[in-house]
Amino acid sequence: MTQITNHMPTEELQRLDAAHHMHPFTTNDDLEKKGARVITRAKGVTLTDSEGNEILDAMAGLWCVNIGYGRDELAEVSSRQMRELPYYNTFFQTTHVPAIALAERLAELTPYDLNHVFFANSGSEANDTNIRIVRTYWQEKGQPEKTVIISRKNAYHGSSVASSALGGMSGMHAQSGMIPDIHHIDQPNWWAEGGDMSPEDFGLERAQQLEKAILELGEHKVAAFIGEPVQGAGGVIIPPSTYWPEIQRICDKYGILLIADEVICGFGRTGNWFGSQTMGIKPDIMTVAKGLSSGYAPISASIVNDKVAAVLGACEFNHGYTYSGHPVACAVALENLRILDEEGIVSHAAQELAPYLKEKFESLGDHPMVGEVKVVGMMGSLALTPDKTTRAKFAADVGTVGFMVRERCFANNLIMRHVGDRMVISPPLVITKAEIDTLIVRARKALDEGYENVKAAGLFKAMS
Ligand SMILES: *Cc1c(COP(=O)(O)O)cnc(C)c1O
């Protein structure tokens, strides 16, 4: 057996990685030609790779390391919990203190009467759970034909077969197929799809598609609507102000359950503890994951309100995961929430950092290749375009230019992702103003270099 350590030459690690490790959302054969970057350690907002480069992680991992890297308290808590009770399940009338404590804390932190917590290990699993919850809810209410869940195109709700069907990523649907009774309406992405409409009119039109869909499918068939308060993986799409109030009105009018997928928006990302508060949504069910443990342990939850819990509680819910409410993950999440709260990380990010990030990130709007720049709380995105006034797309496959800019970010030690031809950021909530300045300097450099490459490749022209 090979001893694999951080001290091995990078090329050797990359060779072994390409030979044996299949990466998510990656063309794995390409890794043989161009190895993956090997990350060896991290502190605060900074990653270190096997070559000693220090990289500013403006994505907080995968939108999850809200508290920043390297908090010893979380390591301490997990080691203590592993020694005391490394595992026990919560099936068959047993429980343990970490699950009780975390459920109680989540009931307290979440708004409204979201008081009941079902644990899982990932956002995908929690959304699978939600499908079961809403269908079981209507069965128990004597309306078993209410099974359809309405979602949006370009939504992301996870990568399991059911949660990816719930999501609206066509590339994922093409590979795994669909599950029955999921219906997609259009997304509130004004920049890409708003045409000549004002953002407000467009937001209303997109929300009213929900009402049209309910009427077309039949009110007696529709169980729930699911949406991310702000679409994350879809490109940080902040909906027009008219959108969510209209969605809420329609859900209320027809009495369908509203699921807010807070996997990214939760735990301070949008300037409040939950994106539902920022967007004025009153969900019946919330999905949380990612920032719940700041990524230090895999854990997620479906949090349901009193109404849903009352109906569900009357039957045996035939659902659960071996690691639902895993004690170590619960203990880590609880400590993460304690620190986010007691150190004022969420409030500081909202009051001090978010306005600063907004001002600085929006300053990139003067770049010749940048159109719309949007920021909410501690997440933002900018649209790349060859023509700001017409909001044109590039004369290349979607994502070609975004990828070219991302390459320059990587080369300049900045992790900023591209979603198609949008660049997105979602830094740890503990980033400092000086680090935000560094982020912006590197982003501008990457945009400048990307612009040169795009022009050299003859791609700086609008799709005809
Ligand atoms: C990441 C994400 C998920 C899926 O979470 P996993 O832990 O990767 O399964 C679900 N919903 C949203 C909004 C996400 O961003």
Side-chain angles (χ1 to χ4, degrees):
M1 199 180 82
T2 331
Q3 277 287 327
I4 299 173
T5 69
N6 273 343
H7 307 295
M8 242 185 192
T10 301
E11 306 80 71
E12 183 60 6
L13 289 169
Q14 288 172 329
R15 190 189 64 73
L16 291 168
D17 181 67
H20 304 297
H21 177 198
M22 296 176 76
H23 291 240
F25 289 97
T26 298
T27 307
N28 279 278
D29 285 355
D30 289 352
L31 292 175
E32 283 167 27
K33 288 167 256 156
K34 189 163 173 287
R37 209 162 187 175
V38 182
I39 306 301
T40 50
R41 58 178 59 83
K43 183 88 188 158
V45 301
T46 307
L47 309 170
T48 305
D49 73 9
S50 55
E51 299 290 282
N53 294 303
E54 299 205 330
I55 307 156
L56 197 164
D57 183 8
M59 286 306 301
L62 279 179
W63 326 78
C64 54
V65 190
N66 293 13
I67 203 176
Y69 297 94
R71 292 294 304 236
D72 275 343
E73 297 92 331
L74 275 64
E76 289 299 324
V77 159
S78 71
S79 106
R80 207 183 314 139
Q81 186 60 47
M82 278 213 193
R83 289 195 189 91
E84 193 172 304
L85 179 72
Y87 175 75
Y88 202 70
N89 71 75
T90 53
F91 292 27
F92 318 131
Q93 226 174 333
T94 52
T95 190
H96 49 69
V97 173
I100 299 167
L102 182 59
E104 192 266 346
R105 182 71 183 119
L106 284 171
E108 191 175 62
L109 271 178
T110 46
Y112 320 117
D113 58 345
L114 292 157
N115 288 326
H116 312 270
V117 181
F118 192 100
F119 289 114
N121 311 287
S122 66
S124 305
E125 289 175 353
N127 278 326
D128 279 21
T129 300
N130 289 338
I131 296 173
R132 280 238 163 95
I133 287 176
V134 300
R135 290 181 179 166
T136 307
Y137 173 87
W138 289 113
Q139 280 169 22
E140 288 298 304
K141 299 261 294 176
Q143 293 174 270
E145 68 286 4
K146 273 171 98 67
T147 53
V148 177
I149 302 174
I150 299 176
S151 174
R152 288 103 48 93
K153 292 173 191 161
N154 198 36
Y156 190 79
H157 297 303
S159 193
S160 63
V161 172
S163 64
S164 65
L166 200 55
M169 299 291 173
S170 49
M172 299 176 81
H173 296 166
Q175 286 181 338
S176 66
M178 291 296 290
I179 64 166
D181 293 348
I182 307 288
H183 181 86
H184 295 92
I185 58 176
D186 289 320
Q187 60 170 334
N189 182 347
W190 176 79
W191 173 266
E193 300 174 4
D196 294 335
M197 293 175 103
S198 71
E200 291 71 28
D201 287 348
F202 174 74
L204 270 184
E205 187 272 324
R206 288 292 152 109
Q208 283 160 1
Q209 285 194 16
L210 174 59
E211 187 156 27
K212 283 211 190 88
I214 293 170
L215 296 173
E216 272 167 33
L217 293 158
E219 200 182 330
H220 62 291
K221 285 205 168 149
V222 178
F225 173 79
I226 183 168
E228 303 150 83
V230 175
Q231 286 156 264
V236 184
I237 309 300
I238 304 165
S241 60
T242 47
Y243 181 77
W244 274 112
E246 185 66 1
I247 291 282
Q248 182 77 57
R249 182 191 69 77
I250 296 165
C251 289
D252 291 347
K253 178 174 173 189
Y254 295 95
I256 68 170
L257 297 174
L258 176 49
I259 310 169
D261 184 340
E262 294 264 7
V263 171
I264 287 176
C265 293
F267 310 104
R269 178 56 59 197
T270 68
N272 286 289
W273 275 92
F274 296 95
S276 293
Q277 293 160 320
T278 306
M279 294 289 140
I281 311 167
K282 195 162 183 266
D284 298 289
I285 301 172
M286 250 188 200
T287 323
V288 296
K290 295 194 170 118
L292 170 56
S293 66
S294 284
Y296 281 61
I299 183 165
S300 67
S302 302
I303 310 176
V304 310
N305 65 9
D306 291 345
K307 175 178 89 174
V308 173
V311 173
L312 224 62
C315 69
E316 179 176 342
F317 188 42
N318 297 317
H319 181 65
Y321 304 103
T322 300
Y323 302 130
S324 284
H326 191 284
V328 176
C330 286
V332 168
L334 201 58
E335 181 67 359
N336 172 59
L337 298 181
R338 184 191 68 75
I339 294 172
L340 284 177
D341 181 31
E342 284 182 13
E343 293 186 5
I345 292 172
V346 171
S347 53
H348 176 74
Q351 287 153 26
E352 289 294 320
L353 298 175
Y356 192 76
L357 181 70
K358 184 173 162 66
E359 182 198 325
K360 297 287 164 178
F361 198 62
E362 283 178 353
S363 74
L364 297 171
D366 66 2
H367 191 277
M369 202 161 54
V370 174
E372 173 182 74
V373 188
K374 296 280 243 174
V375 177
V376 61
M378 294 300 284
M379 68 199 293
S381 62
L382 52 84
L384 301 171
T385 177
D387 188 338
K388 300 174 193 237
T389 50
T390 60
R391 316 204 304 268
K393 295 184 172 66
F394 292 95
D397 288 344
V398 174
T400 309
V401 170
F403 182 75
M404 289 169 81
V405 173
R406 198 205 67 165
E407 288 287 272
R408 297 321 303 160
C409 291
F410 228 43
N412 285 291
N413 289 331
L414 172 66
I415 305 266
M416 171 158 81
R417 236 170 93 180
H418 79 106
V419 176
D421 294 322
R422 279 186 97 87
M423 306 304 301
V424 302
I425 55 164
S426 167
L429 306 184
V430 297
I431 193 170
T432 63
K433 288 185 179 174
E435 287 163 340
I436 291 175
D437 292 343
T438 304
L439 189 169
I440 300 300
V441 167
R442 291 183 190 175
R444 186 174 285 280
K445 188 148 179 282
L447 284 166
D448 286 343
E449 292 171 6
Y451 182 44
E452 291 308 318
N453 293 346
V454 170
K455 283 192 295 189
L459 295 177
F460 195 69
K461 55 174 194 261
M463 176 104 76
S464 50

